[in-house]
Amino acid sequence: MLRTALRNVLAHKARLMMTALAVLLGVAFVSGTLVFGDTTANAFRNASAQSLKGVAVAVQAGESPGDEEQASPGAGTAAGKDGGRTSVLDAALAQKIRALPGVDSVRPTVNGQATLAGKDGRPVNADSSRQNLATNYLPGKDGKDGHFPLKEGRAPATEGELALDATTAEKAGYRVGDTVRFATDGPALTKKLVGIVTSDDPRVTAGGTLTLFDTTTAQKLFLTPGRFDAIAVAAKPGTDERALTAQVQSLLPAKGARATSGADLAAEQSRQIAENTTRLTKTLLGFAGIALFVGVFIIVNTFTMLIAQRSREIALLRAVGASRRQVVRSVLIEAALVGLGASAAGFALGLGIATALHPLLSTGGAELPDGPLVVSPTAPLASLAVGVAVTVLAAWLPSRRAAKIAPVAVLSSAGLAPPARTLKVRNVLGTLLTALGVAVMLYVSTLKTSKESNLMTAMLGSALTLCGMIVLAPLLSRPLITLAGKVTARFGVSGKLAKENALRNPRRTAATASALMIGLTLITGLAVGGYSTQRALDEEATQGLAADYKVSNGAYRGLDTAAADDIAKLPGVAAAAPVTSANFDTQGAFATITGTDPKTFGKVVDLNFQAGSLRDVGPGRIAVSDEFARQAGLHVRDTIDADMNTGGGTPNTPNTKNKKKLTVVAVYAKTRAAYDALGTVADVLPSAETHKLDNVLVKAEPGKAAGLEQKIRQALGNSPLLQVQTQEQLIKAGSGSMTTVLTMLYGLLAMAVVIAVLGVVNTLAMSVFERTREIGMLRAIGLDRSGIRQMVRLESVVISLFGALLGIGTGTFLAWAAGSLTTASMPLYETLLPWAELGLFLALALLIGVLAAIWPARRAARLNMLRAIQAH
């Protein structure tokens, strides 16, 4: 039977080709993901090890002993002078640590953020999630800092100098000797570029920027003079790290700093790296699993058709003594050989996928360090095991069917079609699964929060619904294909034959269409959910906003309180409304209050007042949203005691509560532009987190909006942190990340669609072989070659459209039902259908049908008429 299996594989190479390709692509996705995960984890570990190289003890400011959060030396906290950061680490403490026995050297560091303006005047990485790092250059006895090797020029030594890493300098267009404009927390600053360094910090290699100052300047910019964020301690050879850590800890104040051994810090970072990369790997493996699941349908179809075509051969084997177990074993060995060969090729292709994933995800905003490709023994072993296991399991049912072939019945009915098997049990099971899935999803549609239990319920309902549709597909094929047949009938005899061929074997048609249905269900669900979310985000970004520009600080550190007045003086500005915000609670209700100038706010925001008006708002008098009024039981003329946060959350000013009496004078329909309540700047500003303005909303005079952006920038100092955004830019900023994520998900799911296309090709090609004699008879009675080609093409299109209709319909339903889970976090969300994309999916299905039929149709048309008639 082993020889029989080998012979069958060699004899049916062409028929097994598409099955092998399906397995190959699925395994390539799996192996690529595993190799990518190992490569990324190794790159992070190398980068972490490099940053901890020579660090025996890391002293961190701002953390007391017992805190669980750890950070690497030099990670620091991004803040500027107005962030109010303080530290207990100073030069005297560094000197005490340096004097400990076993200490070789200490490296005190200051860390912050500096946003650069490029040579063209535009901010570098201003709208990116990538970090704009800044720290101090700490020269040793030789005048150089080993952490930042100089590439050009020299180290910054005075307040008017800085250095950049080579990638940042190239990106911004700077050379040694240029004047660099940057900002740390507000107004633009300028310093001379005196040096260019190299850095292997993963945050920099992943697209961030690095700016270096001398220590005194860095302390003035990001901390306070004489203070540090962290101290890295290097030990002499043979020193016990843990003992040294204990000695360092004994020198630290009881609160405000903590010492951690380099080994413990490395272990913690390794744990975090493993968690992060494992999460990413599991996500990608989920998409690989979808691709393999789609491939299962192709494998089942292939072996089912092969067994049907070899029924006489199997019957003869049984007649000469082969047992049922041997027949099963022969088919499974054949599947294992196909799976093994395809898996080996898939693993090789997976190495290319792993290489391509890094730039793909980095383009999407992921900060991934560079590193060599790492292939652990797990990747090839797991890839081969998965490929073989999936192929063998998919072939198991066809092998059982082969073993049940009755030798006498088959041999005595040569040339007759096998009797059709009933679908009653399958239809009942499919109906139950679908009904249960739909019921669960209808229940999900009543839920309004996306907590974990609700998400799990939605996933269960989606899986049940999809599985139910797969099981019911043979039953649904008849009415849908009959309906499609009314269109194909217009193509004459070829169209009628195409419809009958698609209906001839509902199981086979359903299995082929289901592979395409799964991919399109997921893609449609993403398209509907993503489109609806984008529209909600777009509406939220400008809800109630009548302003032409929104001016803010890109680092969320606020604007000077005089910014609105400075903008209002500009020619062409009709109104400039200051906006700040603070939190308060009253009668157990927590809310956010917006502070503004009531005289100008109505010109930049459209408010729908249900009681009172904006003119009534003034010192001690507020307007509240209708939603907050219902929640807190408030009415016009009510007076509330609001507990306002007056500390701003800074270390120097601890949070305190200050009761403020406020009178409700108006009620408006809730809008994002005004939060829960609306008061004056004077009432809200003392309780704002930064004690500054959040933004300024600017309305231009008619026809004067163009060119106003540059005037606003110049009036406010033209800081690289300054954001002057139009409504279109606000919309783009709000939904831009969603577009990137959807594009990446479409790309990952495209693999499943590609495999589904192979399934259509495979089914048609084997169906042509199965109907060789029939095609010969059609040619004999007058159907020409073009008619044969058209018949196969139309059959392919009908099957593809059947799968597309099921997929688009199921995906739309699932997206609608699960969409309710987002309404709590996104009140403006409503399910909207992207008709253009849905139409594109149908057109794609039509194209898939045409392309998939090219090879089978050509093969069918080239069959020799006489030989085809004589075929068995």
Side-chain angles (χ1 to χ4, degrees):
M1 298 307 292
L2 177 60
R3 286 196 298 271
T4 300
L6 289 170
R7 186 202 66 191
N8 284 331
V9 170
L10 295 174
H12 303 108
K13 294 189 295 291
R15 294 181 227 175
L16 291 169
M17 183 186 302
M18 296 302 169
T19 297
L21 277 175
V23 177
L24 182 151
L25 292 175
V27 170
F29 211 155
V30 172
S31 65
T33 298
L34 293 174
V35 172
F36 171 75
D38 292 337
T39 300
T40 303
N42 182 70
F44 272 116
R45 281 193 294 269
N46 289 341
S48 175
Q50 186 65 30
S51 67
L52 293 175
K53 185 178 181 181
V55 177
V57 182
V59 181
Q60 299 290 324
E63 299 175 3
S64 57
D67 289 344
E68 294 183 359
E69 184 181 354
Q70 295 181 351
S72 61
T77 306
K81 290 181 291 185
D82 67 336
R85 290 198 298 126
T86 60
S87 171
V88 298
L89 306 183
D90 56 19
L93 178 60
Q95 188 60 37
K96 290 179 182 179
I97 295 174
R98 187 180 286 109
L100 289 173
V103 173
D104 185 54
S105 64
V106 297
R107 178 183 174 82
T109 56
V110 182
N111 305 287
Q113 297 275 324
T115 302
L116 300 171
K119 225 21 182 338
D120 58 1
R122 297 182 178 181
V124 179
N125 288 353
D127 299 324
S128 172
S129 60
R130 292 165 179 159
Q131 301 185 54
N132 299 316
L133 307 174
T135 187
N136 59 316
Y137 187 95
L138 196 64
K141 295 179 181 179
D142 59 355
K144 298 180 180 179
D145 188 338
H147 283 72
F148 306 109
L150 277 168
K151 184 178 179 181
E152 295 180 43
R154 59 175 177 83
T158 65
E159 187 173 357
E161 299 175 344
L162 58 74
L164 300 175
D165 74 281
T167 304
T168 299
E170 182 180 358
K171 187 189 304 183
Y174 287 120
R175 295 182 179 181
V176 172
D178 288 342
T179 298
V180 177
R181 194 162 58 87
F182 68 97
T184 59
D185 56 18
L189 303 172
T190 57
K191 295 187 187 297
K192 183 179 179 181
L193 178 63
V194 297
I196 294 177
V197 304
T198 58
S199 174
D200 52 12
D201 189 315
R203 295 169 295 179
V204 178
T205 58
T209 64
L210 174 65
T211 308
L212 300 171
F213 305 94
D214 67 278
T215 299
T216 301
T217 302
Q219 289 172 332
K220 289 180 180 178
L221 288 173
F222 307 117
L223 206 54
T224 51
R227 302 287 176 166
F228 300 98
D229 287 302
I231 300 176
V233 182
K236 295 178 181 178
T239 302
D240 187 318
E241 277 193 11
R242 297 194 180 279
L244 182 58
T245 301
Q247 290 178 343
V248 172
Q249 184 66 58
S250 67
L251 297 177
L252 303 180
K255 292 184 179 180
R258 181 183 59 180
T260 308
S261 71
D264 288 344
L265 200 57
E268 175 62 18
Q269 289 190 352
S270 294
R271 183 187 65 79
Q272 292 178 352
I273 289 169
E275 286 181 0
N276 294 335
T277 54
T278 299
R279 193 179 301 118
L280 177 60
T281 301
K282 285 182 178 179
T283 301
L284 294 175
L285 283 176
F287 288 96
I290 293 170
L292 284 170
F293 183 58
V294 171
V296 165
F297 290 89
I298 300 178
I299 299 167
V300 172
N301 246 7
T302 300
F303 280 93
T304 299
M305 296 174 75
L306 280 176
I307 286 167
Q309 294 168 14
R310 289 177 0 215
S311 57
R312 283 176 57 81
E313 175 188 325
I314 294 171
L316 286 171
L317 288 173
R318 293 291 313 282
V320 297
S323 65
R324 290 188 174 186
R325 182 175 297 179
Q326 286 178 309
V327 172
V328 170
R329 193 181 304 154
S330 174
V331 175
L332 294 183
I333 290 173
E334 185 178 345
L337 292 173
V338 173
L340 185 62
S343 299
F347 174 74
L349 178 61
L351 297 179
I353 292 177
T355 304
L357 277 174
H358 186 283
L360 176 66
L361 294 178
S362 295
T363 302
E367 297 185 4
L368 303 176
D370 294 323
L373 204 65
V374 176
V375 182
S376 67
T378 304
L381 293 176
S383 301
L384 292 176
V386 167
V388 173
V390 167
T391 311
V392 170
L393 288 175
W396 182 72
L397 280 177
S399 71
R400 296 267 298 176
R401 208 168 292 139
K404 293 178 181 179
I405 291 176
V408 176
V410 172
L411 293 174
S412 62
S413 59
L416 299 179
R421 290 181 293 135
T422 178
L423 292 170
K424 288 183 179 179
V425 175
R426 178 167 180 160
N427 292 341
V428 171
L429 178 61
T431 301
L432 291 175
L433 281 174
T434 305
L436 182 59
V438 170
V440 172
M441 293 309 295
L442 290 177
Y443 166 71
V444 168
S445 69
T446 65
L447 304 175
K448 302 300 179 184
T449 58
S450 56
K451 59 183 182 180
E452 186 175 354
S453 59
N454 291 345
L455 289 174
M456 295 302 294
T457 303
M459 290 176 65
L460 174 64
S462 300
L464 288 173
T465 304
L466 186 56
C467 290
M469 293 300 294
I470 292 171
V471 177
L472 270 183
L475 177 65
L476 298 173
S477 65
R478 182 163 292 279
L480 290 177
I481 291 177
T482 300
L483 182 63
K486 294 183 179 180
V487 178
T488 61
R490 298 184 178 182
F491 292 88
V493 175
S494 297
K496 294 179 181 178
L497 289 172
K499 183 195 77 171
E500 294 302 323
N501 288 336
L503 290 173
R504 180 181 302 183
N505 193 326
R507 293 175 184 270
R508 182 187 304 167
T509 299
T512 306
S514 293
L516 185 60
M517 179 191 76
I518 295 168
L520 284 179
T521 294
L522 297 173
I523 290 177
T524 300
L526 276 176
V528 174
Y531 178 76
S532 302
T533 301
Q534 278 188 313
R535 291 296 297 271
L537 288 173
D538 293 349
E539 191 173 347
E540 281 187 359
T542 57
Q543 184 186 21
L545 195 64
D548 295 301
Y549 293 98
K550 178 180 179 180
V551 184
S552 60
N553 185 300
Y556 305 103
R557 295 176 192 162
L559 300 173
D560 189 87
T561 53
D565 293 334
D566 293 339
I567 296 173
K569 296 174 184 177
L570 295 173
V573 174
V579 177
T580 188
S581 62
N583 297 325
F584 75 95
D585 60 84
T586 178
Q587 303 172 12
F590 182 83
T592 300
I593 183 171
T594 299
T596 188
D597 178 4
K599 295 179 182 179
T600 57
F601 195 67
K603 298 178 182 180
V604 295
V605 173
D606 294 325
L607 291 179
N608 179 17
F609 280 90
Q610 300 172 357
S613 69
L614 192 59
R615 292 189 298 272
D616 299 323
V617 177
R621 305 188 304 274
I622 64 171
V624 296
S625 70
D626 51 359
E627 184 176 306
F628 180 62
R630 286 193 299 270
Q631 179 186 352
L634 298 175
H635 302 85
V636 174
R637 291 188 294 276
D638 284 352
T639 299
I640 63 174
D641 291 322
D643 288 329
M644 308 286 287
N645 174 15
T646 61
T650 66
N652 286 333
T653 326
N655 289 331
T656 58
K657 294 295 182 181
N658 177 43
K659 284 190 178 295
K660 195 175 186 70
K661 285 191 176 294
L662 300 171
T663 302
V664 177
V665 295
V667 178
Y668 57 87
K670 184 176 182 180
T671 175
R672 188 182 182 189
Y675 294 112
D676 303 305
L678 185 67
T680 64
V681 171
D683 282 338
V684 178
L685 191 63
S687 302
E689 184 177 358
T690 62
H691 300 298
K692 291 187 175 183
L693 300 179
D694 293 345
N695 56 74
V696 176
L697 300 178
V698 182
K699 182 71 174 178
E701 293 178 354
K704 300 293 184 65
L708 195 56
E709 175 185 353
Q710 192 58 37
K711 294 179 181 178
I712 294 172
R713 287 187 173 278
Q714 293 296 337
L716 299 184
N718 202 16
S719 167
L721 288 173
L722 196 65
Q723 288 186 331
V724 184
Q725 298 168 293
T726 63
Q727 290 200 17
E728 291 76 12
Q729 290 170 329
L730 288 172
I731 291 173
K732 184 178 179 181
S735 60
S737 59
M738 174 64 67
T739 302
T740 301
V741 170
L742 286 175
T743 301
M744 292 176 62
L745 292 178
Y746 286 148
L748 293 171
L749 287 174
M751 184 71 77
V753 176
V754 171
I755 294 176
V757 173
L758 295 178
V760 179
V761 175
N762 193 50
T763 299
L764 288 173
M766 298 190 72
S767 181
V768 166
F769 180 85
E770 193 176 73
R771 302 200 304 259
T772 298
R773 189 173 185 181
E774 175 186 319
I775 292 171
M777 292 294 294
L778 289 172
R779 290 291 314 284
I781 61 175
L783 192 62
D784 59 13
R785 293 179 185 271
S786 62
I788 296 293
R789 283 195 294 268
Q790 189 176 67
M791 177 186 72
V792 176
R793 273 198 301 268
L794 290 174
E795 180 182 354
S796 176
V797 168
V798 166
I799 293 174
S800 297
L801 288 178
F802 170 51
L805 289 173
L806 288 184
I808 292 173
T810 305
T812 301
F813 169 73
L814 296 178
W816 166 79
S820 63
L821 300 180
T822 65
T823 53
S825 58
M826 200 177 295
L828 297 179
Y829 181 91
E830 62 176 325
T831 301
L832 301 172
L833 298 183
W835 293 108
E837 291 186 27
L838 297 183
L840 179 63
F841 296 159
L842 276 176
L844 178 64
L846 181 64
L847 180 62
I848 287 172
V850 172
L851 295 178
I854 291 176
W855 179 54
R858 178 181 173 84
R859 186 175 183 277
R862 296 179 66 181
L863 287 175
N864 182 280
M865 187 189 312
L866 296 179
R867 291 178 183 174
I869 294 173
Q870 294 174 351
H872 294 292

